[in-house]
Amino acid sequence: MLTIVWKDNEKKWKQLIENLPTTYGVDFPIPEEIKPPFKAFVTMDGSNIDYAVYVKDILPKTEKPKLSRNTKGIQHVLLIEKVEEVKMHVNEIEPVGKKQGTKVQKILLINIEEEAPKIPVKFKGYDDFENAIIEILKNKKENLPESVIREIASRSKKFKLNKEDLEKVVEFTIQEYKKSSVDPHEAVGIVAAQSIGEPGTQLTLRTFHYAGVAEVNITKGLPRLIEIVDARTKPSTPTMEIYLEDDIKKDQEKVEILAKKLESTKVIDVADVEINVTEMTVTIVMDKEKMSKRRISKNQILEAIKKMKHQGTTLTEEGDSIIITLQDPSYKKLYLISEDIKNLLVSGIKGIERAIVKYEESIGEYKIYTQGSNLKSVLELEGVDHRKTYTNDIMEIYEVLGVEAARNAIIDESIKTLEEQGLSVDVRHLMLVADMMTFEGNVEAIGRHGIAGKKSSVLARAAFEITSKHLLQAGLLGESDELRGVAENIIVGQPITLGTGAVNLIYKYPEKKR
Amino acid sequence: MIGPEVQKRISSLRFALLSPDEVRKMSAVKVTTADTYDEDGFPLDRGLMDLHMGVIEPGLRCKTCNGKVDECPGHFGHIELAMPVIHVGFVKEIKDILEATCNSCGRIKLKDEELEIYRPVLEKSILNGEESLEALAMSKKIIDEAAQRSVCPHCGAEQYKITLDKPTTFRENGRKLSPKEIRERFERIPDKDLIFLGLNPNTARPEWMILTVLPVPPVNVRPTITLETGERSEDDLTHKLVDIIRINQRLRDSKDSGAPQLIIEDLWELLQYHITTYFDNQTSGLPPARHRSGRPLKTIVQRLKGKEGRFRSNLSGKRVNFSARTVISPEPFLSINEVGIPEEAARELTVPIPVTPFNIEKLREIVRRGPNPKGEKYLPGANYVIKQNEKGLKQRIMIMEKNAEDVANKLEVGWIVERQMMDGDVVLFNRQPSLHRMSMMAHRVRVMKNRTFRFNLAVCPPYNADFDGDEMNLHVLQSEEAKAEARILMAVQEHIRSPRFGGPIIGGVHDHITGLFLLTYKNPLFTKEQVLHILSYVNYDSLPKPVIVDGKEYYRGKDIFSLILPKDLNMEYKAKICDGTGCKECVFDKCPYDAYVMIKNGQLLTGTIDEKSIGAFKGVLLDRISRDYDSVTAAKFIDNFTRLSVGVISYMGFTTGIDDTDIPEETKIQVDEILNDAIESTKAYIDAYQKGILQSLPGKSPEETLEDNIMRVLSDAQKKAGEIASKHLGMENPSVIMARSGARASMLNLSQVAANIGQQAVRGRRINRGYIGRTLPHFKKGELGAYAHGYVRSSYKKGLTPLEYFFHAMGGREGLVDTAVRTSRSGYMQRRLINALEDLKVTENDGLVIDTTDNIIQFAYGEDIIDPTRSKQGKAVDYDAVFSKALGERFFLQIRGGK
Amino acid sequence: MKKVNIMEHELVPEHYLLSEEEEKELLDKLQVTKDSLPKIKRSDPAIKVLEKIYGPIKPGRVIKIVRKSQTSGKFIAYRVVVEE
């Protein structure tokens, strides 16, 4: 919601509050987009937003207001209904066209949430069968995971079970569940690493998949798994799967238009950029053919270049060319400007190189697959379903959707990579890896630059890290190794602290008979 | 009582710097001479091989501890350096401290108030010996800050810029700083400032980073090697030490005799070089010290680094005693828990058995046999006896023929007999690369003739072993605790299921599947004699019920199989031979192809047993038995069906030949037609493309579209041709039996032999590489046709033309290279995963997963506290089993469509 | 351009802020200190949304996360807020 925040002084404001409702004259213009009734904000010191103001109407300046901010230069008269105290910091609002955190000097146009965002609840409630099962469990003082309860319930429904049978089923299920639990002290980390590493030898190295009709190239197999586990900032083939909003997802034409809008076009794709050193100019010669193929108009190029503010330059148009002349001659600047212009985005979203529309039979709607990824911009686009749109760039997911989403993405991507090649690995192992990688709140790599390098044991790092010298140094400066992990105990030659090594047997002497 | 004493655990290790005083205190001798041995070959006094530092030659005794070669651990010596020298490993720290401290008063160049804020965190971590990341980052910040001050806030002296000339020369404002000066500066730094610099004042004073005394490693760390020619060759480290001592001596002499400053400085630099390369011969910026032969020396850092270094090659992994390695061969009649060991190996490998009143007689008998008992049957003897002698020390007596009787009689309780292997001993069996925990499992020994290790074929998948020359390793467990842990935790039968995906990994392979297929497909009939022969391979309680056909008594295959099933088992599922394509609607137990398996109360009523039932990875019957019953039952089941299938197939016979892939003439003509059509389509596409009228696929260029279309057309043709050929290959055909039952090969392989091989591909595309504009000179430039880019029209049976053969080799080569590169890349990934995750374990309360510092990684393992090994393909509960147990027949009726 | 509530995305689970009492209960039940809990950064997009509802969230507070689990259906985890 677009609205304004203005700076006022304490005395005037107290007066206003005491005289509500009232008319109030303001000496600044109110943008046309803001129509009454609206809620505006007021700050006293420019840094903290102190009051919310409910404006019922804007009256022309001819009306004489009862109170005013400034007696001179009244532009509008506001009919103020209510004033509320709020506690907000200027950092928390989004000024339009300015940086966040800009102090309010007189008036600032801002974008503010209508109301606090809601956290959508993603779990359905329980139906009768499920509730019945929960009852039975409560009586037996046992617990089962939710997925098990739901599965039993749905099957029981199919069989139309009565209460007695349901109890039997639940009883057997509890037994099965307990039989399958994991043992305490189990070395789950090693098992997980082995279970993921062993099928690695069966993953192809070949990254190219027999590219069928209208597909984008995606890295698959072992190289992809290594990318995920190394937390690479950009995958080698970033790609997005874009779902559309309900109103256009079945309309091929509309989807195609959207797809075309996404494909990014740089200046270099539709024009030639030449440097003339003697005259200190950068000439952009527009290529009509390329422009028409990508449906770019001359104006778009012009606008884009104009938006780029370079100091000390003048812009002239000459037919199909645009010439930029430098005031102060500087080779370096000339080169920089020409490079900037070449890469300047004319249309589309930065990072998206290609967008292909595909009809997905299983769900009966169209989807867009892209080569290149820019999650933030795409999610904000009209027509894009921001609930389901997906990218395979895990770092982007972390930056835009948060660490929990990144964790889920790591699990999904690695399972997908393995299953594509026909290898099944239990999710739990990948969950463990994902949880390890996201423990610190961001996404860390598995290797020596990430988790392995942060281990607390000197010996463990020395054995793994190639430059043992490097780590001995840190150790020599006073570090002690508590020998709590696996690698260091092996080096020292004693049983490890996992599995059987975590447990001690105590012999209980038989009681002496008196 | 001899034997393992109460073991103490090392609780922690502390690292620190050595001060010059400590070096002198721990030294056994001050080394002054650069020579090693004198003319007689005796180590020189005060030389580098002085006997105070240890002994390497048998016969000599150490002068410090009076021990012999195997007793003396070696002792350090020391060298007094004429002038202080920088320790190359600490160069970075020295630079940081120089920059951060004042050059005259020695204090940190930050005011006290500024330092106070950091004090609590730094004290907590550094003084306790836990170098937390926070503390490290803090001290780095402090150093950076302090380095920027150009005036000391405490004494006001002016500071200058410190630069480092790699690798060890420091300059202040251009002027060279000698190590002596640096040392003096460091001595001025007060203890209380040290934690801010990241040093712990209890273990590391900065001036100790400049060496004044060099410790000399004991003699057994750098032993002299006597070559075959009789010459003595010194170790690399000794060579380096010789250089150091020589230069040190010259430097001392020059200093004493008042030589010019330049010469002294030169010698000093040379000394610095020698000491630097003594520590690390691969320091960047320095030429490595070399042998006369040109080979660079291997000094201290080189000994520790890398895959062949101390850590990875001698500490994290070692060579061990009581191990064996040989070629493996199959033995279907061993239980899956057993391993067959050659007699020669069994006689060498021993198990230590303590003598107790309960076994002393038995052991006497064994000792009496000596190390080489004669006789046809293998009987274990003993190789050594360990006793405590009069002085209370352990004494090892070797048993030989002549003293065997004597030793046996003298045997007392409390001694230890090292007896040879016998049937039933527990050993660890392993195949490298050990990628998962099933690569090393515990087996029971069966001593056998001949020189290979033998085991049941069903155990091949977890080891990933085949019998084309693979070798495997064996380890004999020495302690009771180890034997107990192995038997209970590592036994093969505990690992029937894999943690990777919650399904069986030990199961039927190849002939097992074929054999059971032959036994159960369409219920063949056997005479009583045949049945008895087949069942002789298995333990059975009683014969199945016979049926009367044409007045004679016969026994049915399915009933024979049912003998090895548990009596309360109830299951229904589709077998592998049901390919789901033939039938419009499944008729379940009335299936004409005998593809619906129905087991009621342990009786196989309908269906064929094949890969879907008992195969490794996919066998559902195997899966259910291993989940519902204990591991002993499951192991016995596997033992039984492997023997049964081998019995059946040996009796019924099974062979294959090229005639398995014969197809009648009309079919061949049909196949030809299909392939011709495909070639025509290809030509049409090429034509359209060349005329520019080819319709592009969305988002693709015309070239890409052309390629896609051609590949699709040819691939469809291959499939169709395969289908047609398969129609004429029926179930009486052994190759088809193997393919359809899942034993080996697939229908694709068969269709490639019978009908058409198909398009060869490199990198997912048609063959393109070769000559300019064409693949081979047999084609014109720009030729786009099918045959010119790797389409092989022939079948393996017909034979490939030379061009086809060439392209096929190209396609095949890609696969081989892929495999070769893959193993190393995936190995590295596995290593990193293991290193990162190895310390995680599940706690006792509520399945929390923690690491070494008690951080909670997961609040519940896998979010449901289920062991993947025990899960059913990842699901916590086997719902089918639960419902079938609770509802009985009702459940199966419902599945079959509710009647 | 439209304003997007990232909490609505499929990959993002439900996040809730625990009250100080609930924090204490949790730490008591698990018998740990806050150092042992997995972390979430203050700059995390999910925290930014929570701040719009609850106001500024200081480091040291604990977030309750309700995840959709492929194994157990619904799973509750916790993360402690830390500075960047």
Side-chain angles (χ1 to χ4, degrees), chain B residues 561 564-565 614 621-622 625 633-641:
Chain B
F561 179 74
I564 58 173
L565 291 175
I614 47 98
L621 177 58
L622 188 52
I625 292 182
T633 314
K636 233 191 285 185
F637 176 65
I638 298 180
D639 286 342
N640 279 335
F641 82 67

Side-chain angles (χ1 to χ4, degrees), chain B residues 361-373:
Chain B
E361 278 315 314
K362 199 79 194 291
L363 287 176
R364 267 200 236 272
E365 211 186 298
I366 291 182
V367 173
R368 224 166 255 140
R369 290 195 203 124
N372 257 323

Side-chain angles (χ1 to χ4, degrees), chain A residues 256-272:
Chain A
E256 298 261 359
I257 296 178
L258 188 62
K260 268 287 174 272
K261 264 211 293 193
L262 290 173
E263 283 190 5
S264 70
T265 312
K266 298 195 247 202
V267 170
I268 194 74
D269 296 325
V270 286
D272 295 316

Side-chain angles (χ1 to χ4, degrees), chain B residues 480-610:
Chain B
E480 285 302 325
E481 190 181 351
K483 284 192 265 191
E485 285 185 6
R487 250 204 352 250
I488 299 180
L489 296 172
M490 291 176 72
V492 176
Q493 64 192 29
E494 306 300 324
H495 292 284
I496 295 180
R497 308 175 64 82
S498 164
R500 168 156 67 100
F501 53 87
I505 194 175
I506 295 178
V509 289
H510 306 339
D511 282 352
H512 298 147
I513 300 176
T514 314
L516 290 178
F517 176 90
L518 292 174
L519 181 65
T520 55
Y521 181 62
K522 301 225 165 126
N523 233 342
L525 296 169
F526 297 89
T527 64
K528 185 159 187 180
E529 196 191 331
Q530 291 174 324
V531 170
L532 287 174
H533 184 105
I534 292 175
L535 287 180
S536 68
Y537 293 100
V538 184
N539 286 332
Y540 61 98
D541 298 323
S542 53
L543 283 181
K545 269 176 47 184
V547 282
I548 312 282
V549 174
D550 290 338
K552 295 220 203 96
E553 233 187 32
Y554 288 102
Y555 295 87
R556 291 179 300 195
K558 294 202 215 288
D559 296 333
I560 298 174
F561 179 74
S562 307
L563 288 176
I564 58 173
L565 291 175
K567 293 293 156 250
D568 52 352
L569 187 64
N570 288 294
M571 283 183 84
E572 285 183 25
Y573 54 91
K574 295 197 187 127
K576 174 148 194 341
I577 52 179
C578 170
D579 54 12
T581 50
C583 324
K584 263 184 259 167
E585 229 191 275
C586 184
V587 274
F588 301 106
D589 46 327
K590 314 259 189 303
C591 180
Y593 305 107
D594 204 14
Y596 190 74
V597 176
M598 209 156 77
I599 300 178
K600 293 254 168 292
N601 297 321
Q603 284 297 117
L604 176 64
L605 298 176
T606 71
T608 313
I609 300 294
D610 57 16

Side-chain angles (χ1 to χ4, degrees), chain A residues 165 181 203 230 473 481, chain B residues 13 89 822 832 835 870 890:
Chain A
D165 284 331
S181 357
L203 286 173
D230 272 346
Q473 235 63 292
D481 190 332
Chain B
L13 286 179
R822 204 158 61 197
R832 284 183 296 162
N835 257 292
R870 302 175 185 156
R890 265 204 294 165

Side-chain angles (χ1 to χ4, degrees), chain B residues 52-174:
Chain B
H52 286 289
M53 288 194 283
V55 273
I56 32 173
E57 247 178 80
L60 296 174
R61 277 185 181 269
C62 166
K63 286 206 189 129
T64 318
C65 64
N66 215 25
K68 283 198 280 201
V69 182
D70 45 355
E71 292 162 354
C72 171
H75 315 276
F76 272 82
H78 75 282
I79 297 179
E80 292 283 351
L81 294 177
M83 309 197 77
V85 165
I86 294 182
H87 188 306
V88 62
F90 293 118
V91 156
K92 187 167 177 307
E93 282 72 18
I94 294 178
K95 177 160 193 282
D96 285 342
I97 299 180
L98 275 179
E99 284 179 337
T101 57
C102 170
N103 54 19
S104 59
C105 72
R107 298 223 41 214
I108 278 197
K109 289 189 290 189
L110 290 177
K111 295 202 216 102
D112 284 328
E113 313 87 65
E114 293 172 297
L115 295 171
E116 273 315 304
I117 9 172
Y118 300 109
R119 188 184 287 278
V121 177
L122 287 174
E123 267 184 1
K124 190 176 84 156
S125 91
I126 294 188
L127 290 179
N128 288 332
E130 302 159 13
E131 197 107 317
S132 73
L133 292 164
E134 228 190 318
L136 274 177
M138 254 189 207
S139 54
K140 191 168 181 313
K141 213 166 59 164
I142 297 177
I143 291 176
D144 283 339
E145 272 274 334
Q148 292 178 355
R149 303 289 167 91
S150 47
V151 176
C152 171
H154 302 278
C155 70
E158 206 190 327
Q159 310 293 318
Y160 309 102
K161 194 155 147 62
I162 312 267
T163 49
L164 169 66
D165 277 350
K166 279 225 173 151
T168 51
T169 320
F170 287 98
R171 284 183 199 286
E172 185 180 40
N173 235 12

